[in-house]
Amino acid sequence: MIRRPPRSTPLYSSAASDVYKRQILWDDKQVKCIGELSFKGDIKSVKMRKDRIVIVLEHRIYVYTFPDLKLLDVVETYPNPEGLCEISIADSFTLVYPDKKKGVVKVVNYDENGNFEIKAHEAGINALAINYDGKLCATASEKGTLIRIFSTQDGKPLGELRRGSDKADIQCIAFDRTSQWLACTSDKCTIHIFSLSGIYKALYGEGMGDSKNKTSIFNFMKGIIPYFKSEWSLAKFRIPESRSVIAFGPPDKCHVIVVTYDGKYYLTEFDPKTRGECHRITEKHFMENLQ
């Protein structure tokens, strides 16, 4: 596995493919290895930013300062074979990960010496995301019907987004750079895009447009039946069956990028006004020349 930290930097992070127990830091500009970390267990994922590197094992997370690679923290987690963990990219350093209790997410703000738990779901955590400035956290459970949005400042629930009513494996959740949109992928092969305009206004105190998600006609009963308080996606599109990851394009465009594990790349565009199906701009298959 290979990870590159955000912003313009020649530094790469790679878990050695032979045993997945060594973390190698490679500097492209100097064309040399500038650091190495070794662990007793397999490395499940790696997160990087300009001043931190986070190594995720199945039951433990190691947080190091960068570039001196001093150990800052070690935390225990719920069994985490997928290496779930997210960090903020902006200046304040916030870490979000599955706590030792089922369905609970732990939020740690290292700059403010604050940490607390969020009881996000009854089932185990299956997907996590954090927005650019670290103020919002999105979670999905093993059931895969709901995505819940929480404040990382106090753990307050801010919204509930419904992917569907049947069970699904939500594989990836992503915020856009402005925190106006959120998207998810799942094994149902449908990409869902949600508006966060209401949450944005509540959190940042200013508007980002009037785009709204679909809601149930029985929304007035949400105080009695929780199902009706959910919001459904504003836009969506389908891809062939394959595990996938998702990201948003530039902030000034309504573009969504999907890359599948079988080597396909999709660039699509959604219209916040007309909603509905996305327009597919580009589709490429990077594995064609290797077959």
Side-chain angles (χ1 to χ4, degrees):
M1 77 181 81
I2 296 177
R3 298 288 186 273
R4 188 167 192 169
R7 307 186 185 184
S8 178
T9 170
L11 178 67
Y12 280 87
S13 168
S14 172
S17 59
D18 51 354
V19 292
Y20 291 100
K21 291 181 173 65
R22 288 186 296 128
Q23 183 65 38
I24 297 171
L25 300 175
W26 180 266
D27 191 316
D28 262 2
K29 188 173 182 180
Q30 300 183 58
V31 194
K32 69 176 184 178
C33 174
I34 60 171
E36 181 176 328
L37 299 167
S38 297
F39 302 91
K40 293 181 179 180
D42 289 349
I43 297 171
K44 299 300 182 181
S45 68
V46 181
K47 303 294 179 180
M48 292 189 69
R49 47 179 272 163
K50 64 180 181 178
D51 56 355
R52 298 287 188 274
I53 177 169
V54 178
I55 312 295
V56 185
L57 278 57
E58 185 165 355
H59 296 276
R60 190 171 292 175
I61 295 175
Y62 295 85
V63 182
Y64 293 88
T65 57
F66 185 80
D68 53 8
L69 298 183
K70 290 182 179 179
L71 184 62
L72 178 65
D73 198 6
V74 181
V75 296
E76 304 289 336
T77 71
Y78 194 75
N80 189 13
E82 299 298 324
L84 299 179
C85 174
E86 295 295 334
I87 61 174
S88 58
I89 303 302
D91 293 337
S92 178
F93 179 46
T94 301
L95 174 70
V96 178
Y97 61 91
D99 194 29
K100 291 182 287 185
K101 289 174 280 188
K102 188 176 184 180
V104 175
V105 171
K106 188 69 171 286
V107 178
V108 182
N109 187 314
Y110 288 90
D111 295 329
E112 298 178 5
N113 295 319
N115 68 85
F116 56 87
E117 299 175 356
I118 298 174
K119 178 58 177 175
H121 303 272
E122 295 299 324
I125 304 299
N126 198 63
L128 279 175
I130 192 170
N131 72 333
Y132 183 80
D133 64 11
K135 293 182 179 180
L136 294 174
C137 170
T139 68
S141 75
E142 295 167 344
K143 189 175 180 181
T145 55
L146 293 172
I147 296 173
R148 292 189 169 124
I149 313 295
F150 299 92
S151 165
T152 60
Q153 309 300 298
D154 54 16
K156 179 181 177 181
L158 300 176
E160 186 173 279
L161 309 174
R162 182 166 291 275
R163 180 212 56 82
S165 56
D166 54 335
K167 184 175 180 180
D169 174 18
I170 293 183
Q171 299 164 346
C172 183
I173 305 173
F175 288 92
D176 81 313
R177 175 68 178 265
T178 66
S179 302
Q180 184 182 5
W181 309 103
L182 180 142
C184 73
T185 68
S186 75
D187 62 348
K188 297 298 182 181
C189 306
T190 300
I191 309 301
H192 293 272
I193 301 161
F194 301 88
S195 168
L196 299 180
S197 59
I199 294 174
Y200 187 96
K201 291 177 183 178
L203 188 65
Y204 297 99
E206 56 182 307
M208 287 290 290
D210 297 322
S211 299
K212 295 182 179 180
N213 299 311
K214 299 175 183 177
T215 57
S216 170
I217 59 174
F218 299 107
N219 183 258
F220 64 92
M221 298 177 62
K222 62 184 179 182
I224 303 173
I225 305 176
Y227 177 87
F228 296 130
K229 73 178 182 180
S230 300
E231 298 181 18
W232 279 257
S233 56
L234 175 142
K236 59 185 179 179
F237 68 98
R238 291 189 59 81
I239 60 173
E241 185 174 356
S242 177
R243 194 168 182 84
S244 58
V245 294
I246 192 167
F248 285 89
D252 60 337
K253 298 182 182 295
C254 294
H255 287 178
V256 173
I257 301 163
V258 180
V259 178
T260 67
Y261 279 35
D262 61 358
K264 292 180 180 177
Y265 166 91
Y266 300 92
L267 175 63
T268 67
E269 183 176 30
F270 64 96
D271 189 331
K273 296 181 180 180
T274 61
R275 307 182 185 184
E277 292 292 324
C278 296
H279 168 63
R280 187 171 298 180
I281 300 173
T282 303
E283 177 181 344
K284 295 182 180 180
H285 192 183
F286 295 106
M287 305 297 288
E288 286 180 334
N289 296 331
L290 301 179
Q291 296 177 349

